[in-house]
């Protein structure tokens, strides 16, 4: 097998001309014959016992050519790609068989490569560091969330409904005097002011009292999901059964004992502060990194094949699918529940996929410019960290993740470290 020619035919697109020699082809043809002969019947021979020469005489000399080409083509193309020094991505391959015979065969294959990347001035980037300070108001805000989670609903009898209340209602909707499917509810708990229902619906419940029966008139939005209801005016017959408001627990030592392992409010607040400070520090570091990433993407110049984005989207969806499976769901069920089709679902992944592809390309280029090569110790340490994270033996991690792939991840991280270490933080 040998590479005869490598020609650039378009941006990030190369055509390779590959030749497979007679010896390799003859062996593949014979292997195909041995694999297929048990299915072949010829007059005068028991099934599977006909010699190859007789089969080829009866069916034609090329009868095993297709199987031989299919067997040799993948390795021949991989070898040609390696010889041509191309960094190929997964994409459509245009295969064309040019010549075939006892002398072997020649084919061309058009492949897509990673783009040529240019990036300059990646050292000395200016970024702004946000405050890491945790205030008393932040602590109070966290406690308020815990209060909210531990609140209880109590009925209100001495006033009309207000925003923030939970109204327990029966309702039925009509358009032109006729009830429509999905427009009825009994004993429904609706939080007023949250915008759960059609715009204007909740506003017309505010001010009513328990046992009131009244009409709510609303118009369905033009972009409503049900085609038959878009832009239609509807009258809902409503009965208000109950008004409930949230009652928050008092924040004191007893509250703290109920919601935490601490005995006093002061100790609880001190623990909250420590946790918030750690979280805030991580958020600040993440923000600094995102600022660097945004600037690197702006600095990078490359014509990126769409296939790179599509491959990343597919990879992200695969990971999302694994998470769904852990919850007993699959992609098809998820799409059905959310009312999305696969095209719109993939579209939701695209912005993040594009960002990830771009920053990866930028950092890989920086790693080349900086001649970053991880040491054996760094590679081993990365394997150990991954083994600890996934709770596996190091050898098992090595069997799953090739060292060549791990090295790519390490050099990208080290490239980002260089950018970060040389940044100007304000």
């Amino acid at each position: 097998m040998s590479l005869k020619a490598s020609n650039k035919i378009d941006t990030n697109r190369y055509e390779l001309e590959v030749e497979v020699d007679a010896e390799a082809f003859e062996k593949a043809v014979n292997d195909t014959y041995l694999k297929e002969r048990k299915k072949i019947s010829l007059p005068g021979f028991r099934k599977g016992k006909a010699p190859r020469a007789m089969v080829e005489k009866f069916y034609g000399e090329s009868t095993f050519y297709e199987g031989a080409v299919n067997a040799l083509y993948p390795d021949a193309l991989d070898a040609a790609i390696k010889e041509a020094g191309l960094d190929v991505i997964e994409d459509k391959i245009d295969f064309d068989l040019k010549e075939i015979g006892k002398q072997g065969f020649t084919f061309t294959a058009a492949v897509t490569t990673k783009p040529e990347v240019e990036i300059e001035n990646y050292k000395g980037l200016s970024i702004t560091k946000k405050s890491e300070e945790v205030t008393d108001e932040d602590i109070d805000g966290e406690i308020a969330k815990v209060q909210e989670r531990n609140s209880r609903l109590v009925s209100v009898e001495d006033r009309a409904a207000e925003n923030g209340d939970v109204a327990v209602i029966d309702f039925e909707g009509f358009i032109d005097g006729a009830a429509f499917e999905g427009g009825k509810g009994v004993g429904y708990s609706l939080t007023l002011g949250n915008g759960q229902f059609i715009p204007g619906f909740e506003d017309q419940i505010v001010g009513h009292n328990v046992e009131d029966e009244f009409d709510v008139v609303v118009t369905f939005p033009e972009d409503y999901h049900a085609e038959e209801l878009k832009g239609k005016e509807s009258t809902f017959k409503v009965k208000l059964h109950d008004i409930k408001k949230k009652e928050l627990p008092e924040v004191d030592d007893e509250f703290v004992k109920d919601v935490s392992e601490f005995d006093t409010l002061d100790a609880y607040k001190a623990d909250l502060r420590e946790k918030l400070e750690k979280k805030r520090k991580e958020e600040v570091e993440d923000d600094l990194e995102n600022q660097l990433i945004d600037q690197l993407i702006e600095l990078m110049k490359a014509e990126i094949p769409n296939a790179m984005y599509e491959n990343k989207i597919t990879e992200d969806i695969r990971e999302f699918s694994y998470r769904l499976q852990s919850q007993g769901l699959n992609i098809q069920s998820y799409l059905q529940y959310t009312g999305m089709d696969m095209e719109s679902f993939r579209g939701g992944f695209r912005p993040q996929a594009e960002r990830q592809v771009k920053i990866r390309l930028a950092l890989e280029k920086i790693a080349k410019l900086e001649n970053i090569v991880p040491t054996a110790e760094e590679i081993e340490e990365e394997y150990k960290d991954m083994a600890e994270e996934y709770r596996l033996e190091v050898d098992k991690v090595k069997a799953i993740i090739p060292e060549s792939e791990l090295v790519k991840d390490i050099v990208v991280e080290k490239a980002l470290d260089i950018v970060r270490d040389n940044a100007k933080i304000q």
Side-chain angles (χ1 to χ4, degrees):
M1 302 181 213
S2 64
L3 175 67
K4 294 182 68 177
S6 173
N7 300 305
K8 187 173 184 179
I9 56 176
D10 202 351
T11 304
N12 306 315
R13 194 79 172 161
Y14 283 78
E15 184 179 77
L16 304 177
E17 185 176 356
V18 185
E19 183 179 64
V20 177
D21 60 57
E23 183 180 354
F25 185 56
E26 166 59 24
K27 182 179 184 306
V29 169
N30 196 58
D31 289 344
T32 302
Y33 157 70
L34 295 174
K35 182 179 178 181
E36 299 291 332
R37 66 179 177 179
K38 59 184 177 181
K39 305 175 186 176
I40 300 173
S41 296
L42 282 183
F45 296 93
R46 284 183 297 149
K47 187 175 182 179
K49 297 298 182 180
R52 174 183 157 188
M54 293 301 297
V55 176
E56 290 177 337
K57 184 176 181 180
F58 191 85
Y59 288 106
E61 185 180 72
S62 63
T63 189
F64 299 115
Y65 281 8
E66 182 178 353
V69 170
N70 289 338
L72 291 173
Y73 161 71
D75 287 343
L77 179 58
D78 286 346
I81 289 170
K82 187 174 182 180
E83 186 176 343
L86 300 179
D87 194 352
V88 173
I89 65 170
E90 184 179 343
D91 192 16
K92 177 185 176 183
I93 296 175
D94 294 325
F95 173 84
D96 188 13
L97 186 63
K98 294 295 185 181
E99 295 179 352
I100 189 167
K102 288 185 177 298
Q103 78 281 2
F105 66 94
T106 302
F107 67 90
T108 60
V111 296
T112 304
T113 62
K114 279 187 175 181
E116 296 178 6
V117 176
E118 295 179 16
I119 189 166
E120 297 177 346
N121 304 318
Y122 53 84
K123 292 181 179 179
L125 300 178
S126 294
I127 52 179
T128 303
K129 186 174 184 179
K130 293 181 178 179
S131 172
E132 296 181 1
E133 180 186 6
V134 174
T135 65
D136 291 341
E137 288 74 19
D138 294 329
I139 303 296
D140 292 340
E142 291 299 309
I143 292 176
K145 293 176 186 177
V146 180
Q147 275 185 288
E148 185 75 19
R149 290 197 295 269
N150 287 273
S151 64
R152 65 190 185 101
L153 291 174
V154 295
S155 293
V156 176
E157 299 177 354
D158 58 349
R159 63 168 175 80
E162 300 174 355
N163 276 327
D165 290 339
V166 174
V168 181
I169 59 173
D170 295 341
F171 63 89
E172 186 171 14
F174 299 84
I175 294 178
D176 296 330
F180 57 87
E181 185 177 354
K184 185 175 183 178
V186 177
Y188 189 90
S189 294
L190 177 64
T191 302
L192 303 180
N194 273 15
Q196 295 172 256
F197 275 22
I198 308 160
F201 190 102
E202 295 163 23
D203 295 339
Q204 296 177 57
I205 295 177
V206 172
H208 284 283
N209 293 287
V210 172
E211 300 304 328
D212 281 358
E213 296 185 33
F214 50 94
D215 290 349
V216 168
V217 181
V218 292
T219 300
F220 283 92
E222 293 293 341
D223 60 352
Y224 195 68
H225 63 84
E227 189 68 34
E228 68 277 9
L229 299 178
K230 289 181 177 181
K232 297 290 183 66
E233 183 180 277
S234 174
T235 298
F236 285 84
K237 301 291 184 181
V238 178
K239 181 171 183 178
L240 180 56
H241 288 291
D242 196 6
I243 301 170
K244 297 180 179 181
K245 69 174 182 179
K246 287 182 181 179
E247 189 176 81
L248 301 176
E250 185 178 350
V251 179
D252 54 19
D253 289 347
E254 291 305 314
F255 167 77
V256 168
K257 291 176 183 177
D258 288 338
V259 301
S260 73
E261 71 272 25
F262 299 99
D263 294 325
T264 67
L265 181 58
D266 287 343
Y268 181 53
K269 285 186 175 182
D271 181 67
L272 281 177
R273 183 177 294 278
E274 183 179 344
K275 290 176 179 176
L276 281 178
E277 286 174 346
K278 180 181 178 182
K279 181 181 177 182
R280 185 67 54 81
K281 185 174 183 179
E282 291 172 351
E283 290 173 346
V284 168
E285 289 300 316
D286 287 344
D287 180 68
L288 290 174
E289 183 171 301
N290 283 325
Q291 289 183 56
L292 290 175
I293 287 173
D294 289 339
Q295 293 185 57
L296 289 175
I297 289 174
E298 287 296 319
L299 289 172
M300 182 190 68
K301 296 177 182 178
E303 294 186 46
I304 303 173
N306 186 58
M308 293 193 73
Y309 298 138
E310 291 297 327
N311 291 344
K312 181 57 180 171
I313 291 170
T314 299
E315 179 185 327
D316 291 345
I317 288 177
R318 188 182 302 117
E319 292 179 3
F320 183 80
S321 178
Y322 291 150
R323 293 196 296 272
L324 283 180
Q325 289 175 20
S326 68
Q327 302 170 32
L329 295 173
N330 56 39
I331 291 292
Q332 288 70 32
S333 299
Y334 180 82
L335 294 178
Q336 184 177 355
Y337 294 151
T338 57
M340 286 191 290
D341 57 23
M342 181 55 76
E343 183 179 355
S344 60
F345 180 63
R346 287 182 66 88
F349 284 85
R350 190 171 185 92
Q352 184 63 21
E354 289 188 359
R355 178 177 170 84
Q356 291 172 335
V357 168
K358 288 175 180 178
I359 189 57
R360 179 84 181 196
L361 287 171
L363 292 172
E364 286 176 347
K365 182 62 176 182
I366 291 171
K368 287 183 179 179
L369 294 172
E370 297 290 334
N371 297 314
I372 297 174
V373 179
T375 65
E377 291 76 12
E378 288 173 329
I379 295 171
E380 189 64 25
E381 190 62 33
E382 185 69 17
Y383 270 126
K384 288 179 180 178
D385 289 343
M386 295 184 71
E388 185 176 338
E389 179 181 354
Y390 294 109
R391 298 179 181 178
L392 294 171
E393 297 294 328
V394 173
D395 289 342
K396 289 185 178 179
V397 177
K398 289 181 177 180
I400 297 170
I401 303 175
E403 184 175 309
S404 59
E405 293 301 313
L406 190 71
V407 166
K408 292 178 183 178
D409 291 338
I410 294 174
V411 299
V412 162
E413 288 296 327
K414 291 173 76 69
L416 184 57
D417 288 341
I418 288 175
V419 175
R420 186 188 294 111
D421 293 343
N422 286 276
K424 298 175 183 177
I425 302 176
Q426 301 175 353

